[in-house]
Amino acid sequence: MKKTTTRLADGRELIYYDASDATGRTAPDRTAPDPRPLDPVATASELRADPLLGDTVAIASHRQGRTYHPPADECPLCPSRDGRHTEIPAADYDVAVFENRFPSLAGPHGRCEVVCFTPDHDASFADLTDDQAALVLDAWTDRTAALSQLPGVAQVFCFENRGAEIGVTLGHPHGQIYAYPFVTPRTERMLASLAAHRERTGRNLFNDVVARERADGRRVVLDGEHWTAFVPYAAHWPYEVHLYPKRRVPDLLALDGPACTEFPQIYLELLRRFDRLFGPEAPPTPYISAWHQAPVHAAERSQFALHLELFTVRRTSGKLKFLAGSESGMNVFINDVPPETAADRLREVASKP
């Protein structure tokens, strides 16, 4: 991997990640400047603590002005070509990461980055080759390392939102990385459960969950040499898969070579099965793909288990799972699709050899 760091016209950091030149291709030129007359990024991000729930809300009114569903020929995530300048000054790229122009978190309140997976506007992550997906994994890992070193950062979250139903405002295949100045409520609950389980049993909760799913087998979707993917016993979403490395590690940086090598095969197969869930005539399946990594400074860090959670809000063809009264009002999920049924369906739609 070749990494090149530069700056956009308003001072935001831009990083190109290019595949190794072992293929013999000429090293790409990443010196193209950003000629746009951009004003410095002005944010009004503010963190407010909820005294009743104990969680944190980011107030970010400046995001009302962010780019919203532009036509393909005005996409800001495509390469700059034919006299049209975008967030990526180069005429082509492999993977590009830059500071979000409309961040939810900024300055002392953290950092938000955009990860462009491919220059192909009409592609999706599932269309990537194994080598391209491996490069994205390298970028996630490198940014996790860099952001974890920033003062005040407590947790790094790499994720992808795909589909208008999820709320995506740019159709180009991309994800985001949030560097939070606090540990998120969901992770805090995992850490509490982890500590309670160890106090009660002397064992690691993540190890026990994965072992139980593999022993049961009914909800296992894919079982590779280094990764296991399963629908969790108490899945919140209609189709939800958790992907764990078989060797427990706290974050992406700790993955070994064999796990990194196998990851693209396993993950791309999962994404392709998601797109086949509702039949060949259905539009691409909307989903959220979320990496859960150990907080940077957590006391229980070594006990945490890196894993990816992939889920869709589509419950059947043409119907979405909405977070209504019980879910939004009380955070009690009601799942219309039994996890065992979801796992059966995800096995049925496996790629043909």
Side-chain angles (χ1 to χ4, degrees):
M1 178 187 74
K2 179 185 177 184
K3 176 182 174 182
T4 307
T5 302
T6 184
R7 294 279 173 181
L8 295 171
D10 53 11
R12 287 176 295 131
E13 189 173 28
L14 166 66
I15 306 162
Y16 295 102
Y17 293 91
D18 291 292
S20 170
D21 293 331
T23 59
R25 74 171 187 172
T26 303
D29 179 11
R30 299 302 182 214
T31 61
D34 179 8
R36 298 174 296 171
L38 298 180
D39 294 327
V41 173
T43 66
S45 180
E46 177 187 358
L47 299 182
R48 296 186 182 182
D50 185 320
L52 295 181
L53 298 180
D55 57 12
T56 302
V57 177
I59 309 297
S61 59
H62 61 278
R63 285 175 52 79
Q64 288 279 33
R66 67 189 186 273
T67 308
Y68 187 81
H69 292 299
D73 60 359
E74 296 180 16
C75 174
L77 306 184
C78 289
S80 294
R81 295 172 180 166
D82 304 322
R84 191 178 73 84
H85 301 292
T86 71
E87 294 280 67
I88 318 292
D92 203 2
Y93 63 84
D94 289 348
V95 174
V97 179
F98 60 87
E99 290 182 74
N100 198 321
R101 193 175 177 189
F102 303 95
S104 302
L105 309 166
H109 301 314
R111 175 160 158 150
C112 296
E113 298 183 341
V114 177
V115 183
C116 298
F117 304 138
T118 169
D120 185 351
H121 180 85
D122 297 317
S124 69
F125 202 116
D127 296 322
L128 301 184
T129 66
D130 285 5
D131 288 344
Q132 289 174 310
L135 185 59
V136 176
L137 178 62
D138 287 342
W140 283 331
T141 304
D142 183 72
R143 295 314 300 154
T144 295
L147 294 171
S148 295
Q149 297 300 312
L150 293 181
V153 168
Q155 186 173 2
V156 178
F157 176 45
C158 307
F159 64 100
E160 179 192 2
N161 299 329
R162 201 276 283 268
E165 299 94 329
I166 295 294
V168 173
T169 58
L170 296 175
H172 194 105
H174 72 287
Q176 300 181 65
I177 305 175
Y178 278 19
Y180 295 103
F182 53 84
V183 177
T184 62
R186 187 177 178 87
T187 304
E188 289 277 21
R189 292 184 67 179
M190 288 186 191
L191 291 172
S193 297
L194 179 65
H197 186 81
R198 188 171 64 174
E199 177 70 21
R200 186 171 62 253
T201 68
R203 299 191 304 272
N204 182 277
L205 176 59
F206 289 108
N207 289 355
D208 284 358
V209 166
V210 175
R212 183 183 69 179
E213 292 294 353
R214 294 188 69 208
D216 183 295
R218 289 177 297 165
R219 291 173 296 277
V220 173
V221 176
L222 285 170
D223 195 25
E225 184 177 355
H226 303 284
W227 295 85
T228 296
F230 56 87
V231 178
Y233 174 76
H236 289 58
W237 300 94
Y239 292 91
E240 175 181 345
V241 174
H242 293 189
L243 176 63
Y244 281 79
K246 290 187 175 178
R247 183 178 71 89
R248 193 187 80 239
V249 295
D251 56 24
L252 290 167
L253 281 72
L255 286 175
D256 60 20
C260 290
T261 298
E262 187 182 58
F263 171 75
Q265 306 158 31
I266 298 288
Y267 184 51
L268 290 172
E269 174 63 15
L270 283 177
L271 293 181
R272 290 162 186 166
R273 291 189 189 192
F274 261 58
D275 273 345
R276 290 193 290 269
L277 276 172
F278 305 105
E281 303 304 318
T285 301
Y287 64 75
I288 291 175
S289 176
W291 279 110
H292 291 263
Q293 305 192 78
V296 178
H297 307 294
E300 295 281 331
R301 195 171 197 285
S302 65
Q303 298 298 309
F304 197 85
L306 167 77
H307 63 283
L308 183 144
E309 299 186 6
L310 172 69
F311 60 90
T312 179
V313 298
R314 186 176 291 163
R315 56 188 174 89
T316 188
S317 183
K319 296 180 181 179
L320 300 181
K321 164 65 178 176
F322 291 101
L323 299 190
S326 186
E327 292 88 354
S328 294
M330 282 296 178
N331 201 29
V332 177
F333 275 69
I334 301 169
N335 189 352
D336 298 333
V337 180
E340 294 74 20
T341 301
D344 284 342
R345 180 60 180 155
L346 284 161
R347 288 190 292 263
E348 288 174 1
V349 294
S351 294
K352 298 295 187 292

